[in-house]
Amino acid sequence: MRVAHGNTEISVVDNIISCACIGSFNLEGVYLYIDEIKSIISSLKEKEFAMIIDNTKFVGCTPDAFEEMEVYSTWLCKTKLKAKAFVIKSQVNKNIILHRTPSLSSQNIAFFSHYSEAHAWVKKFL
């Protein structure tokens, strides 16, 4: 059994799921993240929601972890997600995210440098 790498801090306020992704993620770490997010979405009982993904402390993912993130992102397209904002520090991070998860093109997404900007943007959709 492999140990999960990568940490998340997840909270929900007013149907906005905020998640800080910290460190480098392997497949097991991504599974833990996905399970927690799916549980939260299920608890919202089919209500519309938005997400803020804070990747300012995100280092990366293993290739198999990115593959699983694409499966999850495709599933997310079938939920009541209205908007997803990413908070990032670099253009490189944005390019990797977009390249490795092409299903994001089917979601209403935006990238920001500051959490407050991301929060103001997603609130417009709820």
Side-chain angles (χ1 to χ4, degrees), residues 20-81:
C21 297
I22 304 161
S24 296
F25 287 76
N26 64 358
L27 184 59
E28 289 76 13
V30 164
Y31 282 146
L32 290 175
Y33 165 74
I34 291 170
D35 288 347
E36 189 167 355
I37 295 295
K38 284 185 172 183
S39 176
I40 290 168
I41 292 170
S42 176
S43 74
L44 294 175
K45 308 278 189 223
E46 296 293 320
K47 293 179 185 168
E48 295 179 342
F49 66 96
M51 298 181 78
I52 302 172
I53 310 300
D54 182 347
N55 276 353
T56 56
K57 295 179 183 174
F58 173 72
V59 177
C61 283
T62 59
D64 57 348
F66 263 121
E67 288 175 13
E68 191 60 32
M69 285 302 294
E70 173 60 10
V71 171
Y72 155 74
S73 184
T74 300
W75 170 83
L76 203 53
C77 292
K78 300 171 187 160
T79 67
K80 300 270 186 170
L81 176 67

